[in-house]
Amino acid sequence: MCGIAGVLHGPGSARPMIEALTHRGPNGVRVEDHEGLSFAHARLSIIDLEGGWQPLHAAGSTVIGNGEVYNYVELAATFGLKDVLATGSDFEPLLHLYEKEGPAAFQRLRGMYALCLVGGDGRTWLVRDPFGIKPLYVLEKDGAVLFASEPRAFLEAGLLAPEMEPEAAAELLAFNYTLSPIFRGVHRLEPGEIAEVVEGRLVRQGRRRLISEPGHAPSAASRSPSPAGAGEEQLVRRLDAVLEDSVRVHQRSDVPYGLFLSGGIDSAAVATLMSRLNARPMTAFTCGFDAPGARDERAQAERVAKALNLDWRETRFGEEDFWRILPDVAWAMDDPTADYATLPTYKLAEAAKGTLTVVLTGEGGDELFGGYGRYRRALRPAWLGGRAAEPRPADAAVLDRWRAAAAPPKGLTRLQQAQWRDIETWLPNDLLLKLDRCLMAHGLEGRTPFLDPEVAAFAFPLPDRFKVRGRYGKWILRKWLEGVCPAAEPWARKQGFTVPVDAWIAPRAADIAERICGLEAVRRVRSAEAVKASFETGGAERWPLLFFAVWSLIHLEKASPSEALKACVGELG
């Protein structure tokens, strides 16, 4: 895990960009400048602490990457590379595979990664993992292609003016995330995208998908499709093997690792397997909310922790944390998501820093196994209120952009269509973006065992009845967890958690509305009357508008986090 930046086919050094990303790589920075090429790497050391520094050079090629290639051990063994590897880095086998296979080698990677590879064949590639777990941003400028792990690298290096795309801002208020970067001129490499840089231009070569379209085989890294016609008992056994294998490789690390544990079944599943695979008690962090009427799952998380003999650590989140953390989260989310779950995620990372360097989480379980209530609604007949699972913003143009980005291929069931839409939009642009920025702000690496080629190949093709049955989503996952960790109470009705942001904003609502309605960025997307109405009535946009106002002052007007909060909220007593 780290921050990367580079200049391809152009003059200049990537050093000014990487200086904006040192929070992602606290162990040190390396820069290599060549004619028409510059690489910069801020390292968070995870694997091969001494020899894994980047850029890496081997077999005539060079690679610089952010993330982890989990199957590097298997790749080295399968292709007879053990005697030629100069380091223990998880990225080095890719260089030797590229020498043998060219860009087809990218299809063999199992992991989370954003990378640039300059091949011995003279070709240059930018590649991102299929789920979009790790970010990569591109700026085409003056005949050169520049890339970085965060857009702030372009802004702080003076390569880009902080100009906002109003369409993206409208998406942020409609969905709590954006379909494309909010800064004008910046592009995200899409999840799974493989792009070649040719004569200073980015040439998109397509996307690698782990969720196979009907009639298409899974990618080369996926070998675990659901057995055709299998019964429940066989599927439960297969699920156990697939999940255990994924957690096993996601634990590969030369530094301390643990997990974030909520009261839900996804993190309980990860905790169960980590407990099985490790002799020592795993360290688990849980966040709860100190506010009247707040719902959280601390009691359930504690039951699971006791049953699994975890080293369980509770952290509390109250109103004081809300106002303290809000501007820091807005700073960290330079590519914004207004999901209020960023707040406890940031607090958990703050608590885990110094104890852990690698954190496993349960992101992706709902999307792959069918956990959301909207999936169950999508399966109902129309006369019972069944409908497509999609957002309902007031702006038709915003909805049209979402539908274009989320359009599923033909041949999927209604449930799979709903899953596909979330995997294409919400997962990379909200959940994974939140995880990356909140953990990397503290120099932590977040890993997601559910978002793995083997797990995806097993889970997505499952018949609908093994995902949704009656009022239960994630049926097969619950059935498995019932046997391996009954303390997780997989069939109990979960109360879920909510961050009581509205209760904390309400006493200051009128003053906040008056302060933010005059901000330039806010005026471009909402009238003063609409802002005041949202804050007076406690509407759904109250929190997103406050977040966006603080975010805009930090990233568009270069205010410090504390200055931005004070401008929007006033003095906090």
Side-chain angles (χ1 to χ4, degrees):
M1 185 72 74
C2 55
I4 61 174
V7 180
L8 305 173
H9 298 276
S13 173
R15 184 175 294 278
M17 290 192 284
I18 206 65
E19 289 174 354
L21 303 178
T22 53
H23 56 282
R24 298 184 68 93
N27 295 118
V29 168
R30 289 196 176 177
V31 179
E32 286 189 7
D33 293 329
H34 307 279
E35 185 177 353
L37 176 69
S38 179
F39 283 141
H41 186 263
R43 189 182 186 203
L44 174 61
S45 302
I46 303 291
I47 292 174
D48 189 3
L49 305 187
E50 297 298 324
W53 290 86
Q54 297 185 24
L56 283 168
H57 308 280
S61 298
T62 298
V63 69
I64 185 171
N66 167 31
E68 304 292 342
V69 177
Y70 299 124
N71 64 334
Y72 71 104
V73 175
E74 290 79 8
L75 290 174
T78 299
F79 292 92
L81 303 177
K82 292 183 178 180
D83 293 335
V84 301
L85 294 176
T87 73
S89 169
D90 51 307
F91 274 86
E92 189 184 350
L94 173 61
L95 295 171
H96 298 277
L97 289 180
Y98 187 86
E99 181 185 33
K100 297 174 181 291
E101 301 182 337
F106 302 135
Q107 301 290 337
R108 298 191 180 277
L109 302 182
R110 179 185 185 185
M112 56 176 191
Y113 48 85
L115 64 88
C116 176
L117 185 146
V118 178
D121 57 2
R123 303 177 76 179
T124 299
W125 302 92
L126 294 174
V127 183
R128 192 178 177 200
D129 71 76
F131 282 110
I133 304 169
K134 301 317 302 171
L136 192 60
Y137 297 87
V138 178
L139 174 65
E140 296 182 73
K141 181 180 176 67
D142 300 331
V145 172
L146 302 95
F147 65 88
S149 296
E150 298 179 12
R152 76 175 79 246
F154 307 134
L155 297 169
E156 295 189 23
L159 299 166
L160 182 73
E163 297 179 12
M164 180 182 71
E165 288 283 6
E167 288 185 351
E171 291 164 1
L172 180 68
L173 297 180
F175 312 135
N176 284 344
Y177 62 84
T178 68
L179 297 169
S180 58
I182 204 165
F183 294 111
R184 183 166 295 160
V186 176
H187 304 283
R188 291 187 193 121
L189 216 64
E190 295 294 325
E193 187 165 359
I194 299 171
E196 186 175 5
V197 179
V198 180
E199 296 180 354
R201 294 181 302 107
L202 195 68
V203 180
R204 300 175 186 272
Q205 301 282 17
R207 292 175 61 184
R208 175 190 172 200
R209 297 187 184 275
L210 294 181
I211 303 303
S212 300
E213 299 181 24
H216 289 74
S219 70
S222 305
R223 305 178 304 279
S224 303
S226 305
E232 184 175 283
E233 185 176 341
Q234 183 182 358
L235 286 173
V236 167
R237 289 197 303 269
R238 183 63 186 143
L239 174 60
D240 186 272
V242 168
L243 287 181
E244 180 180 307
D245 176 65
S246 182
V247 171
R248 177 180 58 81
V249 300
H250 278 74
Q251 290 184 160
R252 286 178 170 166
S253 169
D254 295 332
V255 293
Y257 56 84
L259 73 149
F260 288 166
L261 179 68
S262 71
I265 66 173
D266 298 332
S267 63
V270 174
T272 299
L273 291 164
M274 293 182 76
S275 180
R276 179 193 295 179
L277 292 166
N278 291 273
R280 64 179 176 87
M282 286 289 94
T283 302
F285 286 84
T286 299
C287 186
F289 302 99
D290 290 332
R295 296 183 299 166
D296 68 63
E297 299 177 329
R298 274 178 289 184
Q300 179 60 24
E302 186 175 13
R303 284 193 290 273
V304 171
K306 287 181 177 179
L308 297 175
N309 191 33
L310 303 179
D311 176 8
W312 185 63
R313 308 190 185 187
E314 175 188 359
T315 184
R316 297 171 179 267
F317 194 109
E319 182 175 2
E320 182 178 340
D321 294 304
F322 172 68
W323 295 114
R324 176 180 65 84
I325 285 175
L326 165 57
D328 293 335
V329 167
W331 177 88
M333 305 299 305
D334 62 331
D335 190 3
T337 169
D339 187 339
Y340 57 54
T342 53
L343 299 165
T345 303
Y346 192 94
K347 181 71 184 290
L348 281 168
E350 188 177 64
K353 183 178 181 179
T355 301
L356 302 176
T357 306
V358 172
V359 178
L360 275 64
T361 75
E363 269 81 6
D366 285 303
E367 289 78 9
L368 286 179
F369 287 91
Y372 295 124
R374 57 182 174 269
Y375 296 163
R376 298 193 290 279
R377 289 192 295 273
L379 289 177
R380 295 173 187 164
W383 61 275
L384 284 178
R387 58 179 175 81
E390 64 178 24
R392 291 185 286 180
D395 188 336
V398 172
L399 179 58
D400 287 343
R401 291 197 296 274
W402 182 89
R403 284 174 171 164
K410 294 180 180 179
L412 300 182
T413 69
R414 280 193 293 168
L415 174 56
Q416 288 173 329
Q417 290 174 26
Q419 292 176 274
W420 179 283
R421 292 185 181 105
D422 280 342
I423 290 168
E424 286 291 297
T425 58
W426 190 48
L427 183 64
N429 299 327
D430 185 323
L431 301 183
L432 297 176
L433 188 66
K434 168 203 70 178
L435 187 68
D436 175 82
R437 295 301 203 278
C438 290
L439 269 66
M440 290 309 307
H442 296 89
L444 299 181
E445 173 168 292
R447 296 183 178 180
T448 53
F450 282 106
L451 298 177
D452 175 79
E454 303 292 338
V455 178
F458 171 86
F460 192 78
L462 284 169
D464 290 352
R465 69 183 182 277
F466 291 115
K467 298 174 186 173
V468 173
R469 196 175 298 185
R471 65 184 180 90
Y472 294 107
K474 295 187 284 196
W475 175 271
I476 196 69
L477 192 60
R478 293 176 191 273
K479 196 69 178 175
W480 168 78
L481 197 58
E482 176 185 53
V484 296
C485 186
E489 299 180 352
W491 304 105
R493 183 181 292 275
K494 301 297 182 185
Q495 66 173 351
F497 82 92
T498 56
V499 184
V501 294
D502 209 52
W504 292 326
I505 293 172
R508 302 174 178 273
D511 184 43
I512 292 172
E514 191 66 38
R515 288 171 176 273
I516 71 173
C517 70
L519 297 179
E520 180 181 354
V522 174
R523 288 202 313 266
R524 295 182 67 181
V525 292
R526 290 293 183 271
S527 68
E529 292 75 16
V531 171
K532 291 176 181 179
S534 289
F535 277 83
E536 287 171 4
T537 62
E541 284 195 348
R542 181 187 271 181
W543 155 251
L545 279 167
L546 172 58
F547 174 84
F548 177 59
V550 175
W551 180 92
S552 70
L553 289 173
I554 294 171
H555 296 286
L556 301 179
E557 300 187 26
K558 299 185 178 180
S560 70
S562 60
E563 290 169 342
L565 182 67
K566 184 176 180 180
C568 294
V569 178
E571 294 287 351
L572 291 169

